[in-house]
Amino acid sequence: MKTDELISMLANGAQVVEPHALRRRYAIALGWGGFGATLLMAIMLGVRPDLAEAAWLPMFWVKLALPVALLATALLAVLRLSRPGVRLGRVPSALAAPVLAIWLLAGVALLGAAPGARSQLIFGETWASCPFNIALLSMPVFIALMWAMRGLAPTRPALSGAAAGLLSGAMGAAVYTLHCPEMDAPFLAIWYLLGMLIPTTLGALLGPRLLRW
């Protein structure tokens, strides 16, 4: 087949892309995935009984701000990686900002605490289950995002999968804050980030298989 014939065939088979289709597709995925994560949290873990009182504490909002900031930036990364030829730009720097902020806050908290109290700040009461609970809650979002991204055109499947995994992990962590009783910055800086890293790694590993086209 000649080049001109191939171009003509591809052009004849092309369809008009609906405006905002990409954002609409991810809105559907995040909506259903977020609903699934919230339902899973309510059924398996339950909302913390003192949530109304905890919401008055500044650290509750710091705890929520960490995954929300990563969620927003990871969503930008996912949107860019879903289109061929679009660069990430300053997205990596934006992703690093909330991580560095919580690490800085954790360092200040540890330096200001008595040596005997530092272990409690790091491990809290739920360190062994926290990362796995976050990873579990991220799974409905992860599945929905992989469905959404698979129908688009990511050209860097491993990186795209990692971005989708981070986005799902951030959503899972945000939902998990409604259950988690931990409030200390060192705990969040380690175990929350580790929980989000699990689906990120899973996405990087599965991306080349699930996102090929």
Side-chain angles (χ1 to χ4, degrees):
M1 181 182 294
K2 296 181 180 180
T3 303
D4 293 342
E5 294 175 350
L6 176 60
I7 294 174
S8 178
M9 183 186 70
L10 292 175
N12 290 332
Q15 298 177 350
V16 177
V17 177
E18 184 182 357
H20 309 298
L22 184 145
R23 293 185 179 182
R24 186 177 298 112
R25 191 174 182 88
Y26 280 118
I28 293 171
L30 287 174
W32 282 108
F35 173 77
T38 304
L39 184 62
L40 195 61
M41 181 275 298
I43 293 173
M44 297 189 64
L45 302 174
V47 177
R48 59 183 294 179
D50 62 339
L51 181 61
E53 292 80 8
W56 289 95
L57 301 174
M59 274 307 299
F60 175 84
W61 297 104
V62 172
K63 179 171 70 171
L64 183 60
L66 173 63
V68 168
L70 289 172
L71 188 155
T73 313
L75 177 58
L76 180 59
V78 165
L79 290 172
R80 293 189 175 185
L81 288 167
S82 297
R83 294 174 289 176
V86 178
R87 296 183 178 180
L88 285 175
R90 297 182 179 179
V91 171
S93 299
L95 284 173
V99 175
L100 294 175
I102 195 65
W103 283 351
L104 177 61
L105 194 60
V108 171
L110 289 172
L111 288 174
R118 289 171 183 169
S119 177
Q120 178 64 26
L121 292 178
I122 294 173
F123 294 102
E125 302 295 335
T126 63
W127 69 272
S129 60
C130 174
F132 301 104
N133 285 336
I134 290 174
L136 175 65
L137 296 181
S138 74
M139 286 302 103
V141 191
F142 184 85
I143 294 170
L145 287 174
M146 283 298 175
W147 162 82
M149 188 171 279
R150 186 176 175 84
L152 298 167
T155 56
R156 289 169 283 180
L159 185 59
S160 300
L166 177 58
L167 177 52
S168 63
M171 178 71 83
V175 172
Y176 185 63
T177 61
L178 302 178
H179 164 80
C180 177
E182 309 290 354
M183 290 285 200
D184 296 312
F187 182 95
L188 304 176
I190 298 173
W191 307 113
Y192 264 58
L193 291 179
L194 182 59
M196 289 183 269
L197 184 62
I198 294 173
T200 302
T201 304
L202 182 64
L205 294 174
L206 294 180
R209 292 187 178 185
L210 299 180
L211 302 176
R212 287 186 300 179
W213 56 280

